[in-house]
Structure formats: structure tokens, C-alpha cells
Amino acid sequence: MSKSYKQAGVDIDAGDALVERIKPLARATRRKGSMDGLGGFGALFDLKKTSYKDPILVSSTDGVGTKLKIAQGLNMHDTIGQDLVAMCVNDLVVQGAEPLFFLDYFATAKLSVGVAAQVIKGITDGCKLAGAALVGGETAEMPGMYAPGEYDLAGFAVGAVERKKLLPQKVSKGDVVLGLASSGVHSNGFSLVRHIMAKNNLHYAAKAPFANKKLGEILLKPTRIYVKSCLKAIKTGKVKALAHITGGGLTENIPRVLPGKLAAAIDCKAWKLPPVFKWLMEAGNVPEDDMLRTFNCGIGMVLIVPKASVATIISLLKKEGETVYRLGEIVARKKKAVVFAQ
């Protein structure tokens, strides 16, 4: 007896229906340089239509890790796409780059058009916040690869920066370290989060021990996108370096933009540990060093600026809606690249 592809578990018609459903969402992200729509063999972008004179292209790819388990467990799929965009575009802006376009990869056992459309709506929301065009992507239906109801995501972003403005630039002793508040846990450390929840017999739908909301809803709060505020700060010419605080936390991400002879001296009393992190630390009995190396602990982006420009940059960032903390300063390195004062 002959078998069709659909009988084998792959529904081409569902894929076609998804493409038609998301075309208006993708069109809403169009920007200068966008070409054509979805459905081609490759996505096109006209760099000449932008204002760059001597551009360097910067690319980034990432996922959202096991935060997906919480979205799937609560059947809430409308924000996880913003996380996907944020993880990529926040990595672009730290090198001074403006995000130009974004592509996504969505893989699942059996395609639910409704679920996938929610995810992609979150992706387009993130693209709008970042000023990037959603130019294409791939939806893969792979029965036997994933459990029913599961899906995986990957994102790919490309940005541009003028060659002479590529960051980091000449970080020196005495420069000031500023931190921008995170919106929550963002998209790192969720394997430990889920371990702590299991240890405390908590389900995603349970009331949070520290707030009058479902714990899962708090954990699903999407990663903040810092692109537009940071690009405005960069345009002043007063920002020497940025660090996106992702996996590795403050401990491992700040050194990525420092010369080998310098370190960052961070005052942990400069900001208040948000309730979700305080709860994770206490409920999981997580040592402070591990917290700082696993989670953003309330700081999602770090900027390094000259001391004379601190007031100007703080004022600008606050006008752009950021909560800004003066975390510390750049010092001569002795042993560690980041020194925390408690």
C-alpha cells in the first residue's frame, strides 16, 4: 500500500498555511534595504539602500534554551519569539552594529499553525523593537525527532557598523562601568531554574512565592532588547565598550571586552537583586559566585564609558526608558578580570 508524506507525519499544506498567515507580520518589519517577501529560496537585502559608507557586517546566531520548556508547559507562546530576537540582536549592538535583518528556524514534531504563528508573532514584535527586518526562515516538521507539543527555535541576525566605529575601543583604567536593568531572567540559566522548581515541587502554573503571579509567567517575561537605546548612546562617540550579560553572567561576559591588563571592579551594592533572583538563590541554595556566573542578576547590559561622559550617557539612556546603575570602574588587573565588592 502506498503512503503519502502526510501519512508519514509531515503536512505540507499546514506549512503553506503558516507562511500565508505570517506574511503580514513579516511585512510589518520591513525597513530600508528590505527586498521581496517570504517564500523565495533566499532572502534578499540591499545594503546600498542604507546609509553606510564603509560597513562591516556583524552576524549572530542563538536560541532560547530550556526556557522553551516553560512556554510549552504553560501553553504560552507569544513572547518566546522576542527572546529569540533579543539573544541575537543584543549581541550585535555590543559591537556597535545596527541590526539589519533576522531569520528564524522553527522545528517541531507536528506543526500546529496556531502555535507557530504565536511564536512568529513574538519574533516580529522583537524585530520591530530592534529595527530589524524579518526576511525569512525555515519551518521543519520532523516526526520522531521531538515529543508531541515540543518545538525548538534558533535565530540568525545580521547587522552593520562603520569600520571605524566597531566596538570595543580603547578601554582604559578609570573608565566607568554602567549597568542597564534586565527585565527578568532573560534566556539563560533555565536548566538551573527548572532544577530548583523540581526540587521545591513547583509547577509553572503555581503562584510565585515572591509575587502575586504565576511563577511561569514571571519566568517567561521576555528578554529586554537594548538595541535602540544603546545605538543612541553609541552615536555620541562616548561609549567604549558594551557587554551583553547572557550565559556566564557578569563574571564571564564583561572580560570579553576588556584588554588583558585591565579588570572591572563591580560594587554589588550598586543595585538591588530583583525578587526572582533572590528567590532562586534561596530556594536553590545557590552560592553567590554561581549566581553571578549563571544569571544576569538584574543587569542585562553593561556599558563602559569615560568618567567625564557618565552623566551625559546616563541621562540619555534614562530618556530612552532604561534603568541605569553605576556599577564600578575599570582597574588594573591582578588576578581576576571581574572583582566583586559585596
Side-chain angles (χ1 to χ4, degrees):
M1 182 183 291
S2 64
K3 291 284 185 181
S4 68
Y5 206 13
K6 188 171 184 178
Q7 287 172 319
V10 180
D11 190 345
I12 295 174
D13 291 334
D16 291 342
L18 177 62
V19 171
E20 291 304 311
R21 188 158 169 180
I22 65 177
K23 276 182 178 178
L25 301 176
R27 278 197 296 269
T29 69
R30 287 177 65 86
R31 51 153 294 149
K32 193 178 290 185
S34 297
M35 295 177 65
D36 297 337
L38 300 181
F41 285 98
L44 306 177
F45 189 90
D46 188 352
L47 194 57
K48 281 189 176 181
K49 291 288 178 67
T50 64
S51 58
Y52 292 96
K53 295 176 182 177
D54 184 21
I56 296 292
L57 293 180
V58 184
S59 59
S60 176
T61 183
D62 214 331
V64 292
T66 58
K67 189 173 185 176
L68 287 170
K69 287 284 191 182
I70 299 177
Q72 292 160 14
L74 280 177
N75 195 28
M76 292 176 62
H77 312 282
D78 56 338
T79 60
I80 202 76
Q82 179 176 324
D83 287 293
L84 185 67
V85 176
M87 293 300 288
C88 295
V89 297
N90 284 341
D91 278 355
L92 296 184
V93 78
V94 301
Q95 293 183 270
E98 172 197 11
L100 300 176
F101 57 85
F102 187 86
L103 299 98
D104 69 276
Y105 174 79
F106 180 101
T108 186
K110 181 174 178 58
L111 181 61
S112 165
V113 174
V115 169
Q118 286 182 60
V119 172
I120 295 169
K121 170 63 165 58
I123 290 172
T124 59
D125 289 343
C127 284
K128 289 176 188 175
L129 289 170
L134 178 61
V135 295
E138 166 69 1
T139 302
E141 199 171 22
M142 297 188 287
M145 185 67 74
Y146 299 96
E150 288 187 350
Y151 57 84
D152 197 10
L153 293 173
F156 313 87
V158 173
V161 57
E162 295 288 3
R163 188 181 303 270
K164 291 182 179 179
K165 295 183 179 179
L166 193 64
L167 295 179
Q169 289 193 359
K170 298 179 181 177
V171 175
S172 56
K173 186 178 175 181
D175 288 340
V176 174
V177 182
L178 302 178
L180 305 185
S182 66
S183 56
V185 183
H186 284 184
S187 300
N188 293 101
F190 276 88
S191 292
L192 179 54
V193 170
R194 290 168 48 246
H195 176 77
I196 292 169
M197 290 179 68
K199 178 184 173 183
N200 288 273
N201 296 313
L202 287 171
H203 187 268
Y204 306 133
K207 180 181 175 295
F210 53 89
N212 192 27
K213 284 185 178 180
K214 290 180 182 177
L215 181 56
E217 289 178 356
I218 293 171
L219 294 171
L220 277 180
K221 194 164 183 180
T223 306
R224 187 168 179 82
I225 292 177
Y226 299 97
V227 169
K228 292 184 178 179
S229 59
C230 285
L231 283 176
K232 285 198 174 182
I234 290 166
K235 284 179 182 177
T236 66
K238 304 298 184 183
V239 175
K240 292 188 174 186
L242 298 96
H244 183 200
I245 309 304
T246 54
L250 291 161
T251 306
E252 294 190 1
N253 284 293
I254 296 176
R256 295 167 71 179
V257 297
L258 297 179
K261 294 182 179 180
L262 297 178
I266 304 297
D267 181 3
C268 290
K269 294 178 182 176
W271 79 102
K272 189 176 180 181
L273 191 68
V276 63
F277 295 108
K278 189 175 181 183
W279 172 74
L280 286 167
M281 188 175 182
E282 293 172 353
N285 195 26
V286 183
E288 201 166 79
D289 286 351
D290 275 6
M291 288 293 297
L292 290 164
R293 197 178 179 188
T294 304
F295 300 112
N296 67 63
C297 292
I299 304 296
M301 183 69 78
V302 161
L303 296 86
I304 299 174
V305 303
K307 191 171 290 186
S309 304
V310 169
T312 299
I313 296 299
I314 288 178
S315 177
L316 183 154
L317 289 167
K318 285 184 174 179
K319 286 179 182 176
E320 292 300 311
E322 302 291 356
T323 301
V324 189
Y325 303 99
R326 185 166 176 162
L327 301 181
E329 65 178 35
I330 303 300
V331 298
R333 186 181 301 193
K334 293 180 180 178
K335 291 183 179 180
K336 296 182 178 180
V338 182
V339 180
F340 294 102
Q342 307 299 332

